[in-house]
Amino acid sequence: MATDFYNIDSALSEEERAVRDSIRQFVDDKVIPVIGKAYIEGKFPKEIIAPMAELGVFGANLPEEYGCAGLNNVAYGLIMQELERGDSGVRSFASVQGALVMYPVFAFGSEEQKKEYLPKMARGEIIGCFGLTEPDYGSDPSGMITTAREQADGSWLLNGAKMWITNGSTAQVAIVWAKTGEDKSPSSIRGFIVPTNSPGFTARDQKGKLSLRASDTSELVMQDVRLPANAILPKSGGLKSPLMCLTQARYGIAWGALGAAIGCYEEAVSYATNRVMFKKPIASFQIQQQRLAEMLTEIVKAQLLVLHLGRLKDAGTFSPQQVSLAKRNNVSIATDIAREARRLLGANGILAEYASMRHMANLESVYTYEGTHDIHTLILGQAITGINAFE
Ligand code: TGC
Ligand code: FAD
């Protein structure tokens, strides 16, 4: 592929390339033809859930014994890259299902919970969402006010609201993070598996989004939702548990944003070589060549970054701060590349028929969710200086 300027393919195993190619084909055949319309209609294209499950996309890096594909983290990253080459909303759907719903069940769930939920989630029979953010607690989830109170019979009573929840209105279960202690300390945060048909649970889609339109984003309200004793994720404890999930999802986003950048770059190269102005393809003008050169340079750097990060993750030696650097960098360069590609396309660049403006608008959400660019700057600042800006 032209975009593989540094022959990254040679650093991938045969299996990694095969996984990447199968998802690439799926995105070309099933996502790209429908995504512009879905985006304009403001709906996630649900018809792609079953084929995604068949391809083993959901929780692809979780073990086979729970019905998952058991792939390594580089193959998982390549899946995210290809999905987001299609649309950030499609990658979001898979990120939430795999990294934010299946991962916490896998990491903090009982054996019964893992056996009950993971195979069905891998098959796409149960869709999940992840409720951490609240109306008044976005970047600082430690302040959350949602509570889960243990009752005399061991059941739980859940009260609170979660905001900006991807897949919220589609999901059959929500992983909800709530404080269980009277003192409202973040150390009492626990995760709960909440069936979304529980009495007192409502999900309402947020309207008026100008970004990530091919993705359902909802507000969850929980009013005296009664949960059985076994709804709690027994090994969850403290804010660290949801933050561990975010590390998994941020890793996938770093790869995914690269995919969006590649989609925009390839569209720009193709357009520049075909569009004739002043009797020459616009690709012959130095300004456009410079644009393309800058895009490719940033893509190659981002490719090398996530590939090495993936190898570190597979070796079990990566840190959340390394993931922050990759999420921050790759989303930022993708946002810039999408904007430059849109500009190169002239007036056609504002049409949904082309991908660049859709990617550009989507990436504004990706820039904000899973830790804003600013939050990752401060995480890195702490890693560099030892000084915590959040205290
Ligand atoms: P802090 O005191 O720093 O940390 C508490 C404990 O957690 C540990 N920790 C982590 N562990 C794993 N991964 C990480 N990324 C971790 N970050 C921190 C930390 O070591 C500590 O452990 P221990 O053993 O000492 O208890 O917590 P803080 O309250 O000061 O917060 C720090 C801060 C601001 C970095 C954190 O709150 C944060 O990351 N905020 C951003 C919130 C965010 O990203 N929300 C995302 C919501 S989900 C979402 O957006 C889904 S979009 C999905 C999609 O559609 O793709
Ligand atoms: P705020 O925290 O209010 O931040 C506002 C501004 O202040 C930002 O620019 C931020 O960088 C800056 N800021 C905040 N604190 C600091 C600081 N200490 N220093 C410097 N600047 C600071 N959440 C979920 O739980 N589950 C989901 O599935 C989910 N899906 C989402 C889907 C979409 C489309 C979007 C847009 C969001 C989603 N989110 C989800 C929520 C997302 O994680 C939050 O929007 C994000 O964490 C930021 O919180 P906030 O929007 O409240 O912004």
Side-chain angles (χ1 to χ4, degrees):
M1 185 181 56
T3 312
D4 189 9
F5 200 64
Y6 265 45
N7 196 12
I8 305 274
D9 257 27
S10 65
L12 302 178
S13 70
E14 209 171 302
E15 187 189 27
E16 288 160 356
R17 283 197 298 269
V19 168
R20 191 262 328 266
D21 291 346
S22 71
I23 305 300
R24 179 173 292 171
Q25 196 66 52
F26 161 74
V27 169
D28 285 344
D29 293 348
K30 299 272 193 288
V31 176
I32 289 175
V34 303
I35 202 69
K37 186 163 175 275
Y39 192 89
I40 286 176
E41 288 172 356
K43 286 191 196 127
F44 178 77
K46 292 206 171 86
E47 68 273 17
I48 67 172
I49 298 175
M52 278 164 92
E54 253 166 60
L55 286 164
V57 160
F58 301 137
N61 54 354
L62 296 178
E64 287 172 282
E65 66 174 300
Y66 297 114
C68 305
L71 297 175
N72 72 10
N73 285 291
V74 170
Y76 172 83
L78 289 162
I79 293 176
M80 296 297 131
Q81 171 189 294
E82 290 307 316
L83 292 178
E84 196 153 354
R85 190 174 59 79
D87 191 81
S88 301
V90 176
R91 195 270 309 136
S92 262
F93 188 93
S95 282
V96 169
Q97 179 79 350
L100 295 180
V101 177
M102 295 171 74
Y103 171 80
V105 172
F106 172 70
F108 311 122
S110 64
E111 203 47 42
E112 294 73 50
Q113 288 170 330
K114 292 189 221 185
K115 288 197 174 120
E116 160 75 13
Y117 288 105
L118 292 178
K120 289 182 194 154
M121 287 174 166
R123 291 196 298 270
E125 291 163 14
I126 294 181
I127 299 303
C129 67
F130 176 89
L132 179 65
T133 304
E134 298 189 354
D136 294 328
Y137 295 94
S139 296
D140 181 15
S142 70
M144 69 172 67
I145 48 182
T146 297
T147 54
R149 296 274 173 252
E150 194 166 10
Q151 306 298 293
D153 62 358
S155 66
W156 296 91
L157 206 57
L158 194 60
N159 277 288
K162 298 289 176 180
M163 191 83 178
W164 298 107
I165 306 306
T166 302
N167 299 349
S169 60
T170 316
Q172 286 83 40
V173 297
I175 301 293
V176 174
W177 299 93
K179 285 181 178 165
T180 56
E182 293 296 338
D183 63 351
K184 308 230 165 95
S185 150
S187 63
S188 77
I189 293 172
R190 309 290 298 270
F192 293 85
I193 303 178
V194 183
T196 57
N197 62 2
S198 305
F201 185 104
T202 49
R204 202 182 45 198
D205 277 344
Q206 283 165 252
K207 302 286 178 206
K209 282 188 301 168
L210 299 176
S211 168
L212 220 75
R213 288 185 54 75
S215 172
D216 301 322
T217 314
S218 323
E219 180 182 13
L220 310 182
V221 177
M222 292 150 291
Q223 220 166 9
D224 289 335
V225 174
R226 192 168 283 275
L227 299 172
N230 65 3
I232 194 165
L233 291 170
K235 291 183 224 149
S236 64
L239 182 62
K240 186 175 181 138
S241 300
L243 294 181
M244 284 169 67
C245 304
L246 299 187
T247 294
Q248 304 303 313
R250 291 166 178 174
Y251 169 76
I253 290 172
W255 280 92
L258 169 60
I262 290 172
C264 294
Y265 166 76
E266 291 181 347
E267 182 167 85
V269 172
S270 161
Y271 194 86
T273 46
N274 286 303
R275 175 71 172 166
V276 173
M277 200 52 54
F278 297 98
K279 304 189 186 72
K280 287 194 266 185
I282 59 168
S284 57
F285 301 120
Q286 289 179 5
I287 290 175
Q288 308 311 336
Q289 290 193 1
Q290 182 180 17
R291 267 207 170 109
L292 297 174
E294 297 291 356
M295 288 183 199
L296 181 62
T297 305
E298 292 307 323
I299 285 171
V300 169
K301 290 194 285 192
Q303 282 172 324
L304 294 168
L305 178 56
V306 283
L307 178 60
H308 189 65
L309 184 66
R311 298 288 180 226
L312 291 178
K313 191 172 191 308
D314 279 329
T317 58
F318 85 141
S319 70
Q321 292 78 12
Q322 288 169 332
V323 175
S324 283
L325 189 151
K327 190 270 182 186
R328 180 179 182 277
N329 180 75
N330 287 15
V331 175
S332 177
I333 64 108
T335 309
D336 292 345
I337 287 170
R339 187 176 303 106
E340 288 305 314
R342 200 236 50 81
R343 289 175 181 167
L344 183 146
L345 265 66
N348 278 326
I350 72 161
L351 293 177
E353 192 184 325
Y354 292 87
S356 294
M357 184 143 176
R358 176 169 47 78
H359 281 305
M360 184 184 108
N362 280 339
L363 286 161
E364 289 298 322
S365 284
V366 184
Y367 191 90
T368 290
Y369 68 38
E370 286 286 356
T372 68
H373 186 84
D374 301 334
I375 292 299
H376 290 293
T377 306
L378 296 176
I379 290 171
L380 291 178
Q382 182 177 1
I384 297 162
T385 65
I387 301 167
N388 184 348
F390 304 113
E391 282 177 347

